[in-house]
Amino acid sequence: MATILTSVFAVCMGIGVLFIRMKSAEKPATAKKIILPPIFMSTGALMFIHPMFRVTGMEFLEAFLLGMFFSIFLIKTSNFEVRDNHIYLKRSKAFAFILIGLLLIRIVMKTYLSNSIDVGELGGMFWILAFGMIVPWRIAMYVSFRKLQNKLSPPNMNVT
C-alpha cells in the first residue's frame, strides 16, 4: 500500500514539475531560480534522523550514482537562449518524455525493490537518488546560465 501511495505522489510531483518547467520558460531565468530547488530539497535529509530511513553506505552510493547517471538526461535537455537581452530556459519536448521515462523507471524500480528492501530504507534511497539527480543537473544549469550571462554583460575592463 505504501508503494502505491508513494508512486501516486511521485506521479503528481512529476506532473507538477512539467507544469513548473513550462511556466518557467515564459519568464527570464535567474541564478536564484536555478540554485534554490536543491537547497529546498536538502531539508528532506532530515528524514535520516529517524532510524527507519537510514541506509547503508553501499545503498547510499548506489542511489547517488544512479541519480547522477539520470541527471545526464536532464542536463542534455536543459538549455538556455537569449531573447530581448534576457536569458530564458528553452522549451524542450524531449524534457517531458525524459521526465516521464525517469518517473516510470522509478515506479518500476520501487515496485520491484519493495519486495526486498524495507519501505523506510527504500524511501531514503529514492530521496538520495532524486537529490543525486537534481544537484548535478542544477549545477550544470547554473554553469550554462553564467556563461550566457557573462556573454551578455562582460566584466568591466578598466584600463588606466
Side-chain angles (χ1 to χ4, degrees):
M1 184 65 174
T3 305
I4 294 170
L5 288 175
T6 56
S7 295
V8 168
F9 181 72
V11 169
C12 292
M13 290 297 290
I15 291 168
V17 168
L18 284 175
F19 281 109
I20 289 169
R21 176 73 183 249
M22 287 189 300
K23 292 294 270 179
S24 69
E26 296 172 7
K27 297 177 184 173
T30 65
K32 189 165 76 169
K33 289 178 187 177
I34 295 168
I35 294 169
L36 286 179
I39 292 171
F40 294 149
M41 187 182 173
S42 68
T43 60
L46 291 173
M47 74 166 51
F48 296 108
I49 291 172
H50 194 287
M52 179 176 121
F53 296 105
R54 293 188 187 145
V55 297
T56 66
M58 190 53 124
E59 289 170 334
F60 176 87
L61 190 61
E62 289 170 354
F64 195 76
L65 290 175
L66 188 58
M68 289 180 72
F69 173 74
F70 286 159
S71 74
I72 293 168
F73 302 104
L74 296 173
I75 291 167
K76 294 288 185 191
T77 58
S78 297
N79 299 304
F80 293 100
E81 64 184 351
V82 177
R83 284 187 265 142
D84 301 324
N85 212 28
H86 289 87
I87 301 170
Y88 289 84
L89 192 58
K90 276 187 186 178
R91 284 190 180 214
S92 168
K93 291 178 184 173
F95 179 82
F97 291 114
I98 287 171
L99 192 64
I100 291 166
L102 291 172
L103 186 59
L104 290 173
I105 291 169
R106 180 188 187 278
I107 290 170
V108 168
M109 286 173 55
K110 195 165 203 169
T111 303
Y112 175 74
L113 293 173
S114 66
N115 296 323
S116 58
I117 299 176
D118 179 61
V119 68
E121 277 182 81
L122 198 56
M125 287 177 72
F126 275 96
W127 182 88
I128 294 165
L129 184 146
F131 197 68
M133 191 166 53
I134 196 172
V135 169
W137 174 39
R138 292 302 176 134
I139 289 171
M141 284 178 70
Y142 181 75
V143 168
S144 177
F145 174 81
R146 291 294 296 172
K147 282 180 184 177
L148 264 179
Q149 197 174 41
N150 287 338
K151 283 182 184 177
L152 282 178
S153 56
N156 289 336
M157 294 187 193
N158 295 335
V159 180
T160 53

